[in-house]
Amino acid sequence: MVTERSTLDPGFSGSLWARTAAPGPELPVLAEPVEAEVAIVGAGFTGLSTALHLAEAEPGLSIVLLEAEEPGFGASGRNNGQVIPTLTRPDPDDLVARLGPERGERFVALVRDSAAFTFALIRRLGIACDAVQAGWIQPAHSPERFERVSRRRFEQWARRGAEVELLEPRRLAERLGSEAWFGGWAARTGGHLNPLAFVRGLARAVLARGVRLFARSRLVALERRGARWRLRTPSGRVEARRVLLATAAYSGPATGALARSFVPFRPWMLASEPLGENVRRSVVPGGEAVSDTRADLRFLRWTADGRLVSGGALALPLGERARLERRVARFLAEAFPALAGLRFDFAWTGTIALTADRYPHLLALGPDLWAWIGCNGRGVALATALGPHLAALLAGEDERAAPLPLERPAPIPLAGLAGAFGRLTLPYYRWLDSRP
Ligand SMILES: Cc1cc2nc3c(=O)[nH]c(=O)nc-3n(C[C@H](O)[C@H](O)[C@H](O)COP(=O)(O)OP(=O)(O)OC[C@H]3O[C@@H](n4cnc5c(N)ncnc54)[C@H](O)[C@@H]3O)c2cc1C
């Protein structure tokens, strides 16, 4: 049995979430050959939500879930915990233009409802993860962006029945307790949570529904044997009819073309020391999650124990943590004078899967072998809400009913290298952010 936690990667074990989330369930390592109808690889929001909804829709179906380390070891246990019912770049009209009116509107509705779905799931399963559905605000970083971006997003989501509001500059300043932005819009169904606590709660829920979940059981080879897939781990193997690779930005060589279909991007998360009640009342007093319109994103959210969690990325890795702490402390103090002299107790990193077009993609990697890729930094709600739809695919539903078209993977040349050098484009993005 696995008893100790992953300590190898401080990007995981050094996080505030690893310190504050209740321990996950004890899990076995796969140490023998097993058979299953469905195998899912990766125990983050995608793998766990899919396994959960599949087990609920098809009681008795044999489902195996393989995790290389422990549930939440990937982005799901390391993110900022903002539950956001939008994508980063494409807006609803863009999605409909690309996917067509029928599928496009279906996918837009999925995104629109994704945060409400996530909070409802947490309530239904009774997961203690400091979930706060106080809303999500996207402030505009220039008056022109407010006119061009905020108004457009608000209008497109409002037209589709989303619970959104436009925040004129004065109203936004009141909501944030800051005059550093120029108006914005908000989605009332959004909010924030402790992501690792959510993952661990999902892991308990899938176990309770009969899913066989193995930790420290990395997929090292995947091969087709007749009408089934064979998944090999260092000490066992699974034979399964249908397979979902839910390995996202942590996909390695065993996942074949999936590992080359995104650019990895590694931002830092920073959690402040606990702050006093007077500061909490003056900085985003309503407790919303906040992430602005910059490409070099500025974001923050409160935690249950009164810390602010923010973060960012730098172009050059040298001394990155200390330099980033100074940069983030500076921007927070400029926006909120009450935060002058802010210190950070926790810093950690995680990897995001960026796609070349910044759209999410559903991939058919072979017969009965699927994956999705491209959260582009917005995956807490989306990955969770995709669970029932991926479960339907694994249950044999017609691919035409899927929320996105099934595509062949399109490998990005030198994807890993692009990730290493991609951060050098940050100054360019900052220059774009400085323009109207
Ligand atoms: C620093 C950071 C901040 C973020 N902030 C936010 C935010 O505030 N809001 C938001 O909406 N989104 C945010 N995101 C994005 C969000 O976290 C992800 O979209 C989401 O967690 C993806 O979930 P997933 O289950 O698809 O993948 P992951 O959580 O990455 O899970 C993949 C799993 O697969 C496992 N794995 C990999 N290879 C193998 C193998 N060979 N065998 C077995 N298992 C394997 C990994 O160990 C991992 O547990 C952030 C991401 C990062 C990195």
Side-chain angles (χ1 to χ4, degrees):
M1 301 288 276
V2 174
T3 47
E4 86 275 37
R5 307 261 147 234
S6 300
T7 50
L8 293 177
D9 182 350
F12 174 73
S13 58
S15 81
L16 171 67
W17 316 130
R19 179 69 67 89
T20 52
E26 291 199 356
L27 296 169
V29 173
L30 181 69
E32 56 185 4
V34 298
E35 300 228 334
E37 193 62 27
V38 168
I40 299 172
V41 185
F45 301 137
T46 300
L48 288 163
S49 177
T50 302
L52 176 89
H53 289 96
L54 184 56
E56 289 183 340
E58 308 268 332
L61 188 78
S62 120
I63 306 166
V64 167
L65 177 43
L66 296 178
E67 166 54 46
E69 293 287 339
E70 66 174 79
F73 183 79
S76 297
R78 309 172 187 230
N79 58 68
N80 196 254
Q82 299 205 10
V83 186
I84 305 173
T86 71
L87 303 180
T88 315
R89 204 176 283 173
D91 291 326
D93 287 358
D94 303 325
L95 288 165
V96 172
R98 175 179 287 209
L99 300 173
E102 198 274 324
R103 187 177 246 149
E105 292 296 351
R106 258 196 300 132
F107 186 65
V108 167
L110 188 155
V111 175
R112 178 197 64 204
D113 299 339
S114 59
F117 177 88
T118 302
F119 285 111
L121 182 65
I122 290 166
R123 285 193 296 272
R124 173 164 76 84
L125 299 176
I127 298 177
C129 59
D130 297 326
V132 179
Q133 196 171 8
W136 169 73
I137 299 181
Q138 185 176 47
H141 68 275
S142 71
E144 294 80 5
R145 303 291 170 123
F146 174 64
E147 294 301 331
R148 223 173 51 232
V149 179
S150 311
R151 285 190 190 282
R152 184 186 72 224
R153 290 192 174 146
F154 163 76
E155 185 278 317
Q156 290 189 17
W157 283 112
R159 187 154 32 92
R160 290 172 171 93
E163 291 181 47
V164 289
E165 58 187 312
L166 188 69
L167 299 168
E168 300 287 346
R170 181 180 300 251
R171 181 85 189 98
L172 178 85
E174 282 165 15
R175 288 279 285 272
L176 297 185
S178 170
E179 308 229 324
W181 288 275
F182 301 87
W185 70 286
R188 290 198 194 96
T189 55
H192 51 81
L193 44 70
N194 177 328
L196 187 58
F198 178 33
V199 169
R200 289 178 174 170
L202 286 173
R204 287 190 189 282
V206 304
L207 289 174
R209 284 155 182 76
V211 173
R212 285 175 287 168
L213 168 52
F214 297 96
R216 306 279 166 96
S217 301
R218 179 180 294 278
L219 173 77
V220 291
L222 177 64
E223 38 195 59
R224 189 78 177 152
R225 315 267 297 191
R228 298 176 81 81
W229 289 99
R230 174 175 287 181
L231 296 88
R232 280 199 291 114
T233 70
S235 54
R237 66 164 194 264
V238 185
E239 305 268 353
R241 190 176 297 280
R242 300 194 174 104
V243 177
L244 176 74
L245 297 180
T247 46
Y250 289 77
S251 302
T255 65
L258 175 61
R260 298 187 299 278
S261 62
F262 63 92
V263 173
F265 173 62
R266 279 172 73 87
W268 285 76
M269 298 292 104
L270 300 173
S272 77
E273 59 195 332
L275 298 164
E277 195 52 40
N278 52 338
V279 180
R280 288 162 74 169
R281 272 200 301 269
S282 67
V283 176
V284 196
E288 295 92 338
V290 178
S291 26
D292 78 3
T293 45
R294 287 177 171 85
D296 181 22
L297 197 65
R298 294 188 177 179
F299 53 92
L300 62 147
R301 49 138 312 171
W302 285 108
T303 63
D305 59 348
R307 299 172 191 273
L308 270 177
V309 191
S310 184
L314 291 176
L316 298 172
L318 206 67
E320 196 174 20
R321 175 177 173 172
R323 285 168 48 230
L324 194 70
E325 285 189 5
R326 284 196 296 276
R327 183 182 171 87
V328 173
R330 197 169 53 240
F331 115 65
L332 286 172
E334 278 165 14
F336 306 96
L339 296 177
L342 191 68
R343 285 196 303 270
F344 297 102
D345 285 348
F346 296 88
W348 66 98
T349 60
T351 309
I352 290 174
L354 301 178
T355 44
D357 57 8
R358 299 293 195 270
Y359 279 70
H361 295 271
L362 190 53
L363 303 177
L365 298 160
D368 298 325
L369 175 64
W370 300 281
W372 84 277
I373 198 72
C375 79
N376 293 294
R378 297 270 166 88
V380 175
L382 181 60
T384 307
L386 277 172
H389 302 276
L390 297 169
L393 260 184
L394 290 167
E397 188 184 84
D398 192 321
E399 293 185 351
R400 280 170 300 190
L404 289 167
L406 269 294
E407 300 171 53
R408 304 293 302 164
I412 298 173
L414 304 174
L417 223 55
F421 289 104
R423 52 166 61 227
L424 293 174
T425 57
L426 267 172
Y428 167 68
Y429 283 115
R430 285 187 195 133
W431 174 76
L432 283 184
D433 288 341
S434 71
R435 295 172 59 80

